[in-house]
Amino acid sequence: DQQVKQNSPSLSVQEGRISILNCDYTNSMFDYFLWYKKYPAEGPTFLISISSIKDKNEDGRFTVFLNKSAKHLSLHIVPSQPGDSAVYFCAATGTAYKYIFGTGTRLKVLA
Amino acid sequence: GAVVSQHPSRVICKSGTSVKIECRSLDFQATTMFWYRQFPKQSLMLMATSNEGSKATYEQGVEKDKFLINHASLTLSTLTVTSAHPEDSSFYICSASKGSMNTEAFFGQGTRLTVV
C-alpha cells in the first residue's frame, strides 16, 4: 500500500523553464510534507517543506503547493538549471513521526 | 542544515557474516533515527524507527532478528545486518530527527552493502 505516490518516474525540462513535480498521498493523518533531492549513491538532501496549515511555501527558486482536499502537493522549480537534475522524492509525516517517501521522479534539465 | 554521518559508505562482505552500519548526528541530539533501504530505481523503504533508550519499531515485513538496531545514545544508532545473504545487498540510509513535530529529517550519506 503506497501511501505516498509520485506517478511520473521521469521528467525532462529545458533550462530556464519551470519544472513541476507532483505527489499524491492517501493518508489524511499526514500533516507535514517535504521534498528531498537525491543523487545516486548519496543520501537525500532536504529542499523545502510545508505544513498542512499552509497551501504554499516558497524558498528561492523552489515553491511547494499543497492541496489538502485533493491530497496533492507539487514542487515548482523556476527557472530550472542543469544542476537541478536529480531524483526528487516527496515525503509525508504525521504524529507517528515516520517519514514515508514517494517513489521518486527523475528530473533532467536540458541545457 | 544539520549533519548526519553514516559509516561505512561502502562494504562488501561474505554470506553468513554480519555487518554493522553506524549513523551519527554530529551537531544535534537525535531522539529519533530512521533506517531506510533503497532498491535500484525504487523508493526509500522505511525499515524501522529507533528511539534513544528504547527498542526500535520495525515496519511490517522487516525481520527484527536479522536487522538489529541499537540507539544507545542521542547521537548514535547502529544497524547490524546479521547472517547476511546476497539478497540483503542494497543501499541503506539512515536519517535523524530532532524529535519535534513538523521538522525535517536529515539523512546520512548511505551505505552500499554488497554480500558475495
Side-chain angles (χ1 to χ4, degrees):
Chain A
D1 177 30
Q2 190 72 34
Q3 296 185 65
V4 181
K5 298 178 186 177
Q6 293 174 255
N7 291 319
S8 297
S10 64
L11 174 69
S12 290
V13 171
Q14 206 66 37
E15 181 180 7
R17 305 295 289 268
I18 184 171
S19 295
I20 301 176
L21 297 100
N22 294 302
C23 179
D24 297 293
Y25 62 96
T26 57
N27 191 336
S28 57
M29 299 302 291
F30 290 143
D31 60 8
Y32 192 65
F33 305 89
L34 313 94
W35 283 95
Y36 285 85
K37 179 179 179 180
K38 186 180 181 300
Y39 294 111
E42 293 184 13
T45 303
F46 169 74
L47 273 178
I48 191 169
S49 63
I50 187 167
S51 165
S52 60
I53 62 173
K54 293 185 173 182
D55 54 22
K56 177 183 175 181
N57 189 25
E58 193 172 350
D59 183 3
R61 296 186 298 116
F62 302 93
T63 303
V64 56
F65 295 91
L66 175 63
N67 182 333
K68 287 191 295 294
S69 59
K71 294 191 177 68
H72 176 85
L73 64 152
S74 61
L75 174 67
H76 292 210
I77 307 173
V78 56
S80 301
Q81 299 172 354
D84 296 329
S85 298
V87 177
Y88 289 78
F89 289 96
C90 67
T93 186
T95 54
Y97 288 109
K98 296 193 293 188
Y99 294 78
I100 306 299
F101 282 78
T103 46
T105 297
R106 182 176 300 279
L107 173 66
K108 192 169 186 179
V109 180
L110 307 168
Chain B
V3 179
V4 175
S5 177
Q6 191 173 335
H7 177 81
S9 58
R10 189 182 295 257
V11 59
I12 301 172
C13 71
K14 291 184 178 179
S15 288
T17 61
S18 295
V19 173
K20 182 186 281 188
I21 303 169
E22 292 188 348
C23 181
R24 293 180 186 273
S25 57
L26 298 185
D27 54 357
F28 69 101
Q29 293 186 325
T31 55
T32 308
M33 286 186 170
F34 307 89
W35 286 95
Y36 292 85
R37 181 174 179 176
Q38 185 183 27
F39 294 99
K41 297 183 181 179
Q42 293 191 31
S43 182
L44 298 159
M45 301 301 298
L46 179 64
M47 297 174 67
T49 303
S50 83
N51 296 292
E52 187 267 338
S54 63
K55 289 184 178 179
T57 304
Y58 290 80
E59 295 300 302
Q60 194 173 11
V62 178
E63 298 176 60
K64 57 183 69 176
D65 293 331
K66 177 150 190 75
F67 298 100
L68 299 178
I69 291 172
N70 186 292
H71 193 161
S73 77
L74 286 170
T75 60
L76 174 64
S77 176
T78 59
L79 167 68
T80 302
V81 182
T82 62
S83 187
H85 289 277
E87 56 264 32
D88 298 326
S89 299
S90 194
F91 191 60
Y92 294 87
I93 308 175
C94 72
S95 74
S97 166
K98 296 178 182 177
S100 54
M101 290 181 64
N102 293 350
T103 59
E104 62 268 34
F106 301 95
F107 284 81
Q109 308 94 314
T111 296
R112 168 73 59 195
L113 170 64
T114 304
V115 184
V116 297

